[in-house]
Amino acid sequence: MPPPADIVKVAIEWPGAFPKLMEIDQKKPLSSIIKEVCDGWSLANHDQFALQHADSSNFYITEKAQNAQQLHERIQSSSMDAKLEALKDLANYSRDVTFAQEFINLDGISLLTQMVESGTERYQKLQKIMKPCFGDMLSFTLTAFVELMDHGIVSWDTFSVAFIKKIASYVNKFASDISILQRSLAILESMVLNSHDLYQKVAQEITIGQLIPHLQGTDQEIQTYTIAVINALFLKAPDDKRQEMANILAQKQLRSIILTHVIRAQRTINNEMAHQLYVLQVLTFNLLEDRMMTKMDPQDQAQRDIIFELRRIAFDAECEPNNSSGSIEKRKSMYTRDYKKLGFINHVNPAMDFTQTPPGMLALDNMLYFAKHHQDAYIRIVLENSSREDKHECPFGRSSIELTKMLCEILKVGELPSETCNDFHPMFFTHDRSFEEFFCICIQLLNKTWKEMRATSEDFNKVMQVVKEQIMRALTTKPSSLDQFKSKLQNLSYTEILKIRQSERMNQEDFQSRPILELKEKIQPEILELIKQQRLNRLVEGTCFRKLNSRRRQDKFWYCRLSPNHKVLHYGDLEESPQGEVPHDSLQDKLPVADIKAVVTGKDCPHMKEKGALKQNKEVLELAFSILYDSSGQLNFIAPDKHEYCVWTDGLNALLGKDMLSDLTRNDLDTLLSMEIKLRLLDLENIQIPDAPPPIPKEPSNYDFVYDCN
């Protein structure tokens, strides 16, 4: 007779004794189970003991962690060897939130910060005679500190200036010690992101000049943490300081250093580096937000002079010295004519065209940049259109304003960077004025497309839609330079766009005749079952999820996978992103599918309600989902991308017997249905399928033609 489902056999070992195979009743309280285990070895004070996983994680299964007290005492040992070994264990155990809580309750964080602040004098003497030992000791100390703080139990506002100074000094002193440098940079990033007061103190202690050399090395992890610190300082800087910081970054040639030593280095850019480059790209473009949201003041002479300059460059007009009233009227008439040629909507007072935000003054800035830095192209566009018929001219002014607005939407100017996005574009790191150059290429594309479409003023919105499609298609190829981007656009002419659209329509053709609709309805359940099996198979393979907290780190992962019999979800923390599948037996925790009550997504997820910073991020909300079980149990996920989000939410809903409602399922269903129908209709090629079934013939006058086989 098989044992009850709640009884499990577990091997338990105690140092210096033979391991025991014990039956554990999972219905019993954990304290009772620990008492039984202690009684088996005649150990007193069972409430001071804990069950610990024997795998590489070494995580505890109880809140009463005796080891926390022991480690707290061991790291204060007078023996350097004992202290080093204790700090090594502390760095490992601190990843466990239960152990971390116990150690922090013993005022462990204060102990670690004191060790860092003091140095200590004794350590510094030790450093001269035992440098490797000192480096390892400091590395383990900082690692334990980072792991403990990542649990979010202790506020970052509690740390002293002396501690900050010490950490900042390590960025310079230990440039050759990768582990110390990495953890020091990680601590600085967290300080800046989690405390306004600490941001100001860190900004005083660390300079861009001190960080730049770390970007010129060959270790991508150090480069990643360095850019992360720069991004954190950039993100938390007050509005009036951001432009000043951007100027410093430009003076230090940060862009060209990143381009040379990171983007064009002979190695693959990992996901975390791609994310940090994306964040830097977003923060750089967000400097344009102020101009984008600034309306033009029609009474501001300096702003009006920009429009005069656009006219002067285009038409090489000489100012007339005559101030007579007749001359003034003549000049006004001439200006109105020229402003019309320049394509402004308001010919009399073009300043009014820039009162809409966005794009505000940013559009005028772009136009002036184009006129000054690409003067020949600017004059050619203006003169070409001024010589056409009114209805066929491409209005440069109106086009520039709408194009600037479109480019801001494409690059999401003014939006905070996403927690999960890695979508950086190498070409924007190839020029100090990349947005303006981006505009210059696109405005020439717009003029070219206008001519190819033989557009009139009524077709303006259609032209803008085609131009947006051209730009988006070119950007998806991730060109490495602005010249390559320009080349991609040359190949995406209006004729080519029409061909692509036609091809996509043919591939996604939706047959609407009645027989085809009936065939679709007949085979749809079979296709849905196929999709369901694919989703469940993907859940069986499992997925590595990233843990998001106050600071993105590339060594915080956990893995979840479904058992082959589809009855249990196995999950657990990982030290690093796995290469391939993770075996079930290496995942410490499990959740029976039968215990799952519901699957919720987006803003309904408990962890989205708890973490206000994440809640504000639309892209993170779109990737969040949670499994609810028991009365208050929850398992929270943030998918690595939209595809994995759809796979997991579909698979979990399929396990619960619910419909799969994701966009991915709809797309897969449409694709597979279309393919299946086309395959079934191959024999009917070039045969017209009627919309209605053929009529039933009249009943014959007799049935003499029937042959009775009997």
Side-chain angles (χ1 to χ4, degrees):
M1 186 175 184
D6 295 309
I7 303 295
V8 294
K9 289 186 177 182
V10 178
I12 302 178
E13 60 184 6
W14 173 255
F18 288 103
K20 292 184 179 182
L21 185 64
M22 303 184 67
E23 287 190 348
I24 291 180
D25 186 350
Q26 297 183 78
K27 290 183 178 179
K28 288 185 178 181
L30 187 57
S31 58
S32 299
I33 295 172
I34 293 174
K35 185 177 185 302
E36 290 178 10
V37 174
C38 290
D39 290 344
W41 275 299
S42 301
L43 298 173
N45 300 322
H46 71 274
D47 58 336
Q48 295 299 314
F49 288 84
L51 291 176
Q52 181 187 32
H53 287 287
D55 59 15
S56 60
S57 69
N58 293 321
F59 286 172
Y60 287 93
I61 313 173
T62 178
E63 294 181 358
K64 299 285 186 179
Q66 185 187 33
N67 213 25
Q69 179 67 46
Q70 293 175 347
L71 274 176
H72 191 272
E73 295 171 358
R74 287 171 57 200
I75 62 176
Q76 300 179 73
S77 170
S78 58
S79 166
M80 290 299 107
D81 290 339
K83 185 189 288 284
L84 179 63
E85 194 63 28
L87 287 168
K88 182 179 180 180
D89 290 342
L90 179 62
N92 184 33
Y93 296 154
S94 295
R95 293 183 292 111
D96 179 18
V97 65
T98 306
F99 171 87
Q101 182 68 68
E102 287 298 316
F103 187 79
I104 290 169
N105 289 343
L106 295 170
D107 210 17
I109 291 288
S110 296
L111 178 59
L112 292 179
T113 55
Q114 287 170 15
M115 292 169 64
V116 171
E117 286 176 17
S118 60
T120 59
E121 293 178 6
R122 187 176 173 187
Y123 286 177
Q124 290 174 3
K125 292 177 182 178
L126 177 69
Q127 184 184 7
K128 297 177 181 178
I129 57 175
M130 298 177 64
K131 189 170 183 180
C133 179
F134 172 79
D136 290 342
M137 193 176 295
L138 182 56
S139 174
F140 290 137
T141 303
L142 295 178
T143 300
F145 177 84
V146 169
E147 297 291 353
L148 291 168
M149 291 303 298
D150 264 1
H151 295 296
I153 300 170
V154 179
S155 169
W156 283 92
D157 288 313
T158 58
F159 299 108
S160 66
V161 174
F163 180 72
I164 298 170
K165 286 178 178 290
K166 206 70 178 178
I167 297 297
S169 71
Y170 293 158
V171 173
N172 297 319
K173 286 183 181 177
F174 294 95
S176 59
D177 192 318
I178 300 300
S179 60
I180 295 177
L181 178 58
Q182 178 198 91
R183 285 149 184 80
S184 299
L185 289 169
I187 293 170
L188 291 175
E189 181 198 1
S190 290
M191 286 178 172
V192 172
L193 290 177
N194 289 285
S195 170
H196 177 69
D197 290 340
L198 288 186
Y199 154 74
Q200 294 178 321
K201 294 172 183 175
V202 171
Q204 292 172 357
E205 296 299 326
I206 202 81
T207 66
I208 300 300
Q210 292 171 319
L211 294 172
I212 290 293
H214 301 311
L215 290 174
Q216 296 171 316
T218 57
D219 189 292
Q220 186 171 127
E221 199 169 358
I222 293 299
Q223 291 175 325
T224 302
Y225 277 100
T226 302
I227 296 177
V229 173
I230 293 172
N231 285 338
L233 291 168
F234 210 156
L235 184 64
K236 292 299 180 179
D239 292 342
D240 58 334
K241 294 288 184 181
R242 273 187 201 158
Q243 188 59 57
E244 180 182 329
M245 184 175 176
N247 294 336
I248 294 173
L249 295 179
Q251 290 172 8
K252 299 294 182 180
Q253 298 183 320
L254 176 70
R255 178 197 59 76
S256 61
I257 290 171
I258 289 176
L259 182 66
T260 303
H261 296 280
V262 178
I263 297 175
R264 291 181 177 171
Q266 299 301 311
R267 60 174 180 263
T268 304
I269 292 177
N270 61 36
N271 288 338
E272 185 67 17
M273 174 60 86
H275 172 74
Q276 295 299 341
L277 291 174
Y278 152 79
V279 172
L280 182 59
Q281 173 185 292
V282 171
L283 294 176
T284 303
F285 285 141
N286 280 356
L287 293 172
L288 303 169
E289 184 182 11
D290 183 54
R291 294 294 284 174
M292 181 181 77
M293 301 307 296
T294 299
K295 296 181 179 181
M296 184 171 185
D297 181 2
Q299 306 305 318
D300 189 318
Q301 187 59 44
Q303 295 179 2
R304 292 170 63 88
D305 286 344
I306 299 176
I307 298 176
F308 293 151
E309 182 67 5
L310 288 173
R311 174 185 171 276
R312 186 196 66 77
I313 295 173
F315 304 112
D316 198 25
E318 296 181 0
C319 297
E320 297 181 25
N322 194 334
N323 292 326
S324 65
S325 60
S327 177
I328 292 174
E329 290 300 321
K330 182 180 178 182
R331 191 183 306 121
K332 284 183 178 180
S333 175
M334 182 175 61
Y335 283 1
T336 300
R337 180 196 66 207
D338 290 345
Y339 291 150
K340 183 179 180 181
K341 290 180 180 179
L342 281 171
F344 291 113
I345 297 173
N346 192 319
H347 307 150
V348 177
N349 186 7
M352 300 303 296
D353 288 11
F354 301 96
T355 55
Q356 178 188 355
T357 57
M361 287 296 292
L362 184 59
L364 188 58
D365 294 342
N366 283 339
M367 294 168 70
L368 183 62
Y369 181 90
F370 181 50
K372 285 188 171 182
H373 294 84
H374 299 270
Q375 194 169 112
D376 291 344
Y378 166 70
I379 293 173
R380 184 182 68 252
I381 287 176
V382 173
L383 295 183
E384 268 184 12
N385 288 291
S386 63
S387 62
R388 293 180 192 163
E389 297 179 28
D390 283 353
K391 66 177 184 176
H392 285 289
E393 68 178 2
C394 176
F396 173 73
R398 182 186 176 190
S399 298
S400 298
I401 292 168
E402 291 301 318
L403 179 63
T404 300
K405 183 178 179 181
M406 179 200 295
L407 298 183
C408 289
E409 290 172 356
I410 290 173
L411 298 177
K412 299 181 180 179
V413 174
E415 294 185 21
L416 287 175
S418 163
E419 293 279 353
T420 58
C421 186
N422 301 331
D423 189 26
F424 84 98
H425 294 277
M427 71 177 192
F428 291 130
F429 289 86
T430 63
H431 201 286
D432 289 328
R433 304 288 294 273
S434 58
F435 184 80
E436 289 87 344
E437 289 293 324
F438 186 40
F439 168 84
C440 294
I441 293 171
C442 293
I443 192 65
Q444 294 177 75
L445 167 72
L446 193 154
N447 188 66
K448 173 175 169 285
T449 302
W450 184 283
K451 290 188 288 185
E452 291 172 348
M453 292 178 66
R454 298 178 181 176
T456 63
S457 54
E458 289 80 11
D459 300 319
F460 186 86
N461 291 333
K462 291 180 182 178
V463 175
M464 294 303 296
Q465 289 172 6
V466 173
V467 169
K468 184 174 184 178
E469 184 174 348
Q470 291 170 313
I471 295 170
M472 294 299 291
R473 288 185 183 278
L475 285 177
T476 55
T477 64
K478 294 294 179 73
S480 59
S481 66
L482 289 164
D483 286 339
Q484 195 177 93
F485 173 68
K486 191 173 183 179
S487 177
K488 297 283 185 184
L489 290 177
Q490 291 293 331
N491 297 328
L492 284 171
S493 63
Y494 176 58
T495 304
E496 185 63 24
I497 291 293
L498 290 179
K499 288 179 182 178
I500 294 172
R501 287 179 175 180
Q502 179 65 22
S503 175
E504 290 176 350
R505 274 196 296 268
M506 289 178 67
N507 292 334
Q508 300 172 2
E509 188 174 4
D510 186 15
F511 301 104
Q512 296 297 327
S513 64
R514 183 177 165 187
I516 300 299
L517 292 176
E518 289 180 359
L519 180 59
K520 273 188 177 182
E521 189 175 341
K522 182 179 179 180
I523 64 177
Q524 183 166 316
E526 178 185 340
I527 300 294
L528 283 172
E529 182 62 27
L530 183 66
I531 294 172
K532 175 183 173 182
Q533 291 305 316
Q534 188 273 340
R535 298 293 191 266
L536 294 177
N537 289 340
R538 278 288 294 108
L539 264 61
V540 170
E541 292 175 11
T543 300
C544 179
F545 296 92
R546 186 186 298 276
K547 285 188 173 183
L548 287 184
N549 48 29
S550 59
R551 174 176 54 83
R552 283 175 56 105
R553 292 177 56 201
Q554 62 189 55
D555 56 352
K556 289 292 184 179
F557 299 96
W558 69 288
Y559 200 89
C560 186
R561 63 180 300 183
L562 180 66
S563 61
N565 62 7
H566 299 172
K567 291 186 177 180
V568 179
L569 283 173
H570 297 265
Y571 61 96
D573 292 336
L574 300 176
E575 292 187 10
E576 58 184 5
S577 182
Q579 301 297 320
E581 295 182 16
V582 175
H584 292 94
D585 55 8
S586 67
L587 300 174
Q588 307 95 331
D589 303 298
K590 62 182 181 179
L591 171 64
V593 172
D595 292 349
I596 298 177
K597 304 300 182 186
V599 177
V600 295
T601 61
K603 63 182 180 181
D604 295 324
C605 296
H607 58 318
M608 290 294 100
K609 295 177 181 177
E610 294 168 4
K611 297 184 178 181
L614 293 181
K615 188 175 179 183
Q616 301 302 320
N617 195 303
K618 183 180 177 182
E619 292 190 39
V620 172
L621 280 174
E622 291 176 350
L623 298 175
F625 61 97
S626 297
I627 294 174
L628 306 182
Y629 60 93
D630 296 335
S631 57
S632 59
Q634 61 193 45
L635 190 59
N636 301 318
F637 299 75
I638 296 179
D641 51 50
K642 190 66 176 178
H643 181 271
E644 287 296 319
Y645 169 84
C646 293
V647 166
W648 273 84
T649 53
D650 283 343
L652 292 171
N653 282 324
L655 286 173
L656 299 179
K658 297 181 179 180
D659 292 335
M660 299 179 293
L661 303 174
S662 74
D663 294 338
L664 183 62
T665 292
R666 284 195 293 271
N667 293 336
D668 287 350
L669 181 61
D670 289 343
T671 301
L672 292 173
L673 272 176
S674 177
M675 290 173 60
E676 183 66 20
I677 288 172
K678 287 177 180 179
L679 286 172
R680 295 193 182 198
L681 296 179
L682 280 177
D683 292 338
L684 299 178
E685 192 172 358
N686 298 323
I687 296 177
Q688 182 67 36
I689 300 175
D691 292 334
I696 300 174
K698 293 180 180 180
E699 192 172 330
S701 58
N702 62 71
Y703 292 88
D704 295 342
F705 57 87
V706 176
Y707 178 75
D708 189 352
C709 295
N710 298 324

